[in-house]
Amino acid sequence: MSNQRNYKQSIKIAVVGDIHDLWEAEDAIALHELGVDLVLFVGDFGNEAVDIVRLVTDIDLPKAAIMGNHDAWYSASDWGRKRCPYDRKKEDRVQQQLDLLGETHVGYGKLDFPEFNLSVVGSRPYSWGGEVWKNQEFLKERCGITNFEESIERIVAAAQTTTYETIIFLGHNGPVGLGDRPEDPCGRDWQPLGGDYGDPDFAEAIAKTQALGKKIPFVTFGHMHHTMRHTKEKLRTAIFTSPEGTVYFNSASVPRIIQTESDRLRNFSLVSLEAGVVHQISLVWMGKDYTVVSEQLLYQHPEATVVQPVYSQSP
């Protein structure tokens, strides 16, 4: 049981929501200033944005990532290929991103973190969400997967091979089952409004992994942005807690960098994990001097000591 010793009981995780080209060298400095132990990227770095992925891979912190639908924007669909701005016969930018990420990319895979006594397992990469199996040729070619059933098997197989019993699931889109209202974590906020646009294979894989006896305290993803398409009166719900105590978190606070008259602000979601249990999640915005200018408390464990955020207002 040597792998159970000498690990951190309390860890600070930064979850980086959909980047969409908004990542800078200053972000790596900000992560160090925040004192995070582990960084999780939910994908959508940009439209096959190799340069952004290169910056991400340069971060000298433990990290895991999964590719989003935009990370294969010009390769996965007929629509995208027709609009591709580069010669796909000479370049494969999807593969370039994968080569840069290496083992950091956990789509259909896993990464063990002995220093934290946990493993990160990735769901289906390149997900667009919903109940239709999209981009069939692309997923068959890239992943060897042709349907939801094979996808479930692949995710569960990765979970079975983890060294540690505590698993964090990392997806681009979230699992089905978190609500069917437009403002729910994976709810459809375009016409026709409503409906659960979560990934059915992700949900089934989580259930099967729990049945194996694995502990899943935290599932995080993005894809569905917090700002709603059909209304500005409300934001998307970021948190869902299951009866089993698993905390599901949509981290897609987009845009993640904004320029004000006097400052340049960047956001990160901070997750406090204590002995394998999520205690707190907050969204922080940092200024150009790397101080936290606002903090919004998104979740607190019912038994945790009440901790007030640094600031309660959004920038």
Side-chain angles (χ1 to χ4, degrees):
M1 299 295 288
S2 60
N3 62 16
Q4 302 296 315
R5 303 170 188 165
N6 301 321
Y7 63 87
K8 292 190 70 173
Q9 287 274 352
S10 176
I11 64 173
K12 183 189 286 188
I13 303 169
V15 183
V16 180
D18 297 27
I19 289 174
H20 292 297
D21 296 305
L22 294 177
W23 184 268
E24 302 166 342
E26 290 82 356
D27 284 296
I29 301 171
L31 287 169
H32 281 282
E33 290 293 323
L34 287 168
V36 304
D37 301 297
L38 174 64
V39 190
L40 302 177
F41 293 89
V42 303
D44 274 7
F45 299 100
N47 291 345
E48 300 188 18
V50 176
D51 289 343
I52 297 292
V53 172
R54 185 174 289 109
L55 281 175
V56 165
T57 59
D58 286 341
I59 299 168
D60 59 343
L61 286 165
K63 55 187 177 291
I66 191 167
M67 298 271 265
N69 59 304
H70 279 265
D71 303 316
W73 193 248
Y74 301 120
S75 302
S77 66
D78 290 338
W79 179 92
R81 287 189 288 270
K82 289 175 182 176
R83 291 161 175 78
C84 187
Y86 64 92
D87 189 343
R88 297 182 65 255
K89 294 179 180 178
K90 296 180 180 179
E91 265 192 287
D92 185 345
R93 294 189 183 175
V94 173
Q95 190 60 48
Q96 288 177 41
Q97 293 173 88
L98 290 170
D99 289 344
L100 283 166
L101 290 168
E103 69 172 9
T104 299
H105 183 252
V106 295
Y108 283 141
K110 59 94 178 183
L111 195 54
D112 296 317
F113 292 95
E115 62 270 47
F116 309 131
N117 194 40
L118 62 80
S119 300
V120 176
V121 174
S123 66
R124 168 167 41 101
Y126 316 110
S127 173
W128 287 71
E131 298 179 351
V132 176
W133 186 257
K134 296 183 178 68
N135 304 325
Q136 299 178 18
E137 291 182 12
F138 175 82
L139 287 174
K140 183 178 181 180
E141 175 191 346
R142 296 283 174 168
C143 306
I145 302 293
T146 61
N147 54 50
F148 285 121
E149 288 71 26
E150 292 176 2
S151 182
I152 294 165
E153 291 176 7
R154 186 79 171 272
I155 300 168
V156 175
Q160 285 178 309
T161 65
T162 59
T163 301
Y164 305 100
E165 294 303 298
T166 299
I167 289 177
I168 290 174
F169 266 107
L170 179 62
H172 177 57
N173 188 47
V176 75
L178 308 184
D180 59 5
R181 298 173 301 172
E183 63 271 20
D184 284 331
C186 301
R188 186 175 59 201
D189 63 329
W190 61 92
Q191 298 296 334
L193 281 176
D196 190 337
Y197 218 68
D199 288 346
D201 48 341
F202 196 4
E204 185 64 21
I206 291 170
K208 286 182 177 291
T209 301
Q210 287 172 326
L212 294 172
K214 302 280 188 177
K215 181 182 178 184
I216 308 172
F218 186 51
V219 177
T220 190
F221 50 90
H223 186 52
M224 301 292 197
H225 298 179
H226 284 176
T227 51
M228 308 290 284
R229 303 184 200 192
H230 70 293
T231 178
K232 301 303 177 188
E233 299 301 314
K234 60 178 72 173
L235 295 175
R236 184 177 301 280
T237 300
I239 302 288
F240 177 93
T241 306
S242 75
E244 299 81 17
T246 299
V247 179
Y248 294 80
F249 174 49
N250 181 336
S251 64
S253 180
V254 179
R256 67 164 301 274
I257 297 178
I258 58 176
Q259 181 70 49
T260 68
E261 290 184 4
S262 60
D263 208 347
R264 188 164 181 81
L265 306 175
R266 61 195 73 245
N267 75 54
F268 301 91
S269 297
L270 300 181
V271 181
S272 170
L273 200 68
E274 306 279 347
V277 176
V278 177
H279 271 231
Q280 184 172 307
I281 302 175
S282 60
L283 177 70
V284 301
W285 288 85
M286 298 183 76
K288 58 188 177 184
D289 62 352
Y290 302 111
T291 59
V292 175
V293 300
S294 74
E295 180 175 4
Q296 181 185 4
L297 188 63
L298 301 176
Y299 170 83
Q300 192 157 50
H301 190 277
E303 298 177 7
T305 303
V306 175
V307 177
Q308 294 298 325
V310 178
Y311 300 97
S312 60
Q313 299 299 314
S314 298

